[in-house]
Amino acid sequence: MERLINFSVKMYRSRLAYILRHTLRVMFPLILIGSFAAVLRFSFFSTSGYISTIIGLNRWLPFYRQFGQVTKIIFECTINIIAVYAAFFSAHYTVKAYRKNISGAGAVGPFAFLIIAYQTTTQDSLSFNKYLLSEGMLIAIVVGYLCGRLLVLFAKSKEMKLNQLIKPIIIISIVAVLVNMMLGLFVSLSLPTYVASFITINSKVKAFWYVIALGTLTDIMAIFALGGPFIDSPSFTDAPSWANLMHALQTGSAWNAPYKYTDTTIFHSFANFGGSGCVLALIIAILIVSREQRYRSVSKWSLFPAFFNDHYPMMLGIPILYNPVFFIPFVVAPLVNMLISGALLSLNWIPAAVYPVPAGTPAPLIALVGTNGNWGTFILSVSLIIIDVLIYIPFVRMAEEIIKKAGVENDD
């Protein structure tokens, strides 16, 4: 444990950590607003959303459709293009970390990233790779960093005149176009999300470990801001989900479903309370034990989105992304949840979540709704959240100790 603390302190003081920390933190207000808009859009202002369905919001609220359009616009301009902001601030803070004053340095980052993300279409329209814009934050940060380093390399003095930007921008343009052409060989950067359909060819035991492995991979990729096999919400259109739903409709019960071990019944129902890494548990742990004012402030603002399974504010505000201290609980907490829920499913102590869950369903209620009101699954969900909080608490304390030892000012 002491080695991890010393390593983290050393990393925390590095230039790269400075760039990452400030790049992520400065995006927090934008992403927080985007997360609120996402929750309102999918849960409140969608006719199939959880809150809208329960209270019939679309039937009595004036300007219901207009509110939905507003939240969609905000969501699309924040969360869905998050990587563009990352490229800008990464380039900006890279130049700043090397104590250079280069006007317009931040704009070079998104300039290069948008060239990389551009897609040619048959129609004369502007189109970008949606996976890169929404899930390519790591790539965007790397692009911004490399652009910043190149500008620093060409800066012969502390300040760089605008006409001196021409050469590095030409180089950046050529390299970005070449990268774009290479990426054109791939249809998308994310792994297939309909993995559950492959479970039908496996025995039940293999299916269980298949879901555990891919669920863990999803959380590992999430902490690096990459899409994973289970990153999308379940569509209920794959073969196992259809078979489970038909069984429930025919028998009138979720018990004894033919496919107990799927991404829906284990990962989405029990492994991502508050989003990837069980972020809701981290928020609770911080509010219980943390004395770090910024941690508490970020957690309070992030509580509402996390309750509806949106983890973005915490990922950037703490930040959790690329943070070696929170990597262990971020992966271990969901893994523990999957193992416990999978064991209870195998013992037939709880039914499988086979019914479609409305968009924006609060995290602790997903299994309850998915089993059509089985209170055993709700008690299990609450118990797992408590276990996750206990897992996170020592790492929250460790993170605070690292901040104190590093002696780095926590400027918001």
Side-chain angles (χ1 to χ4, degrees):
M1 193 69 74
E2 190 65 28
R3 287 183 179 180
L4 178 60
I5 292 175
N6 292 334
F7 172 76
S8 299
V9 168
K10 185 178 179 181
M11 290 298 297
Y12 201 86
R13 291 171 174 167
S14 66
R15 277 179 176 168
L16 185 59
Y18 168 87
I19 296 166
L20 280 173
R21 190 166 61 247
H22 285 76
T23 295
L24 297 176
R25 283 185 193 171
V26 78
M27 291 193 294
F28 171 71
L30 294 172
I31 299 308
L32 180 68
I33 293 172
S35 294
F36 270 78
V39 171
L40 293 174
R41 177 192 175 191
F42 293 112
S43 188
F44 289 77
F45 298 117
S46 169
T47 53
S48 59
Y50 180 78
I51 300 299
S52 181
T53 302
I54 289 178
I55 63 177
L57 207 59
N58 61 312
R59 293 194 299 269
W60 57 266
L61 183 69
F63 306 109
Y64 175 85
R65 189 172 61 85
Q66 286 76 11
F67 281 127
Q69 289 176 342
V70 170
T71 56
K72 183 179 186 298
I73 291 171
I74 296 174
F75 170 78
E76 294 290 345
C77 294
T78 51
I79 303 294
N80 257 13
I81 57 168
I82 187 174
V84 178
Y85 300 111
F88 176 90
F89 290 113
S90 176
H92 171 79
Y93 281 110
T94 298
V95 170
K96 191 174 179 181
Y98 285 87
R99 302 184 184 280
K100 299 290 184 179
N101 185 12
I102 303 176
S103 300
V108 179
F111 165 73
F113 182 74
L114 288 174
I115 291 177
I116 292 172
Y118 179 77
Q119 289 182 321
T120 55
T121 60
T122 54
Q123 299 176 346
D124 189 18
S125 60
L126 195 63
S127 178
F128 296 96
N129 187 312
K130 64 177 183 179
Y131 295 103
L132 272 176
L133 295 186
S134 61
E135 299 175 16
M137 189 188 297
L138 176 60
I139 297 172
I141 289 174
V142 171
V143 169
Y145 173 76
L146 293 176
C147 289
R149 288 300 307 270
L150 188 64
L151 293 177
V152 170
L153 185 65
F154 273 82
K156 296 180 180 179
S157 60
K158 193 171 183 179
E159 295 214 14
M160 190 176 188
K161 296 180 181 179
L162 290 177
N163 62 341
Q164 294 176 318
L165 287 172
I166 297 174
K167 284 185 179 180
I169 288 179
I170 291 174
I171 296 172
I172 289 169
S173 301
I174 295 171
V175 174
V177 169
L178 292 175
V179 174
N180 175 283
M181 295 172 68
M182 291 173 60
L183 288 178
L185 300 174
F186 302 95
V187 177
S188 71
L189 297 179
S190 66
L191 295 175
T193 56
Y194 23 81
V195 193
S197 60
F198 298 117
I199 295 174
T200 55
I201 65 174
N202 290 297
S203 67
K204 291 184 177 180
V205 174
K206 287 183 179 179
F208 173 71
W209 293 111
Y210 187 74
V211 172
I212 296 295
L214 290 179
T216 303
L217 176 62
T218 299
D219 288 312
I220 292 173
M221 294 180 71
I223 204 167
F224 291 101
L226 295 169
F230 292 159
I231 198 67
D232 290 342
S233 300
S235 62
F236 293 94
T237 57
D238 55 273
S241 294
W242 269 112
N244 284 345
L245 182 58
M246 291 304 297
H247 167 83
L249 294 175
Q250 290 170 1
T251 62
S253 172
W255 292 94
N256 301 314
Y259 298 99
K260 293 181 179 179
Y261 313 121
T262 70
D263 59 332
T264 302
T265 61
I266 296 179
F267 182 80
H268 291 294
S269 295
F270 297 106
N272 61 340
F273 300 116
S276 299
C278 301
V279 165
L280 182 61
L282 173 58
I283 293 175
I284 297 171
I286 288 174
L287 295 178
I288 291 174
V289 303
S290 178
R291 295 182 180 179
E292 181 68 29
Q293 189 57 41
R294 184 177 57 80
Y295 278 11
R296 295 184 65 85
S297 177
V298 169
S299 297
K300 289 175 182 177
W301 279 108
S302 304
L303 183 58
F304 175 74
F307 187 69
F308 291 91
N309 269 354
D310 191 312
H311 62 203
Y312 281 105
M314 286 294 286
M315 298 296 279
L316 276 67
I318 294 298
I320 300 173
L321 289 175
Y322 319 114
N323 192 325
V325 175
F326 289 116
F327 177 84
I328 295 173
F330 191 89
V331 175
V332 170
L335 178 59
V336 169
N337 292 1
M338 288 188 288
L339 291 173
I340 293 175
S341 59
L344 295 181
L345 279 168
S346 67
L347 294 170
N348 210 33
W349 286 12
I350 58 171
V354 299
Y355 296 98
V357 178
T361 299
L365 302 181
I366 291 176
L368 178 68
V369 176
T371 56
N372 197 27
N374 180 273
W375 286 99
T377 57
F378 176 72
I379 294 171
L380 174 61
S381 297
V382 174
S383 301
L384 291 176
I385 292 174
I386 294 172
I387 293 173
D388 296 339
V389 171
L390 296 176
I391 291 173
Y392 266 111
I393 282 176
F395 292 93
V396 171
R397 288 173 172 157
M398 188 191 304
E400 291 187 342
E401 184 179 348
I402 289 168
I403 290 174
K404 290 177 183 178
K405 283 192 174 183
V408 181
E409 185 181 356
N410 265 322
D411 40 356
D412 291 325

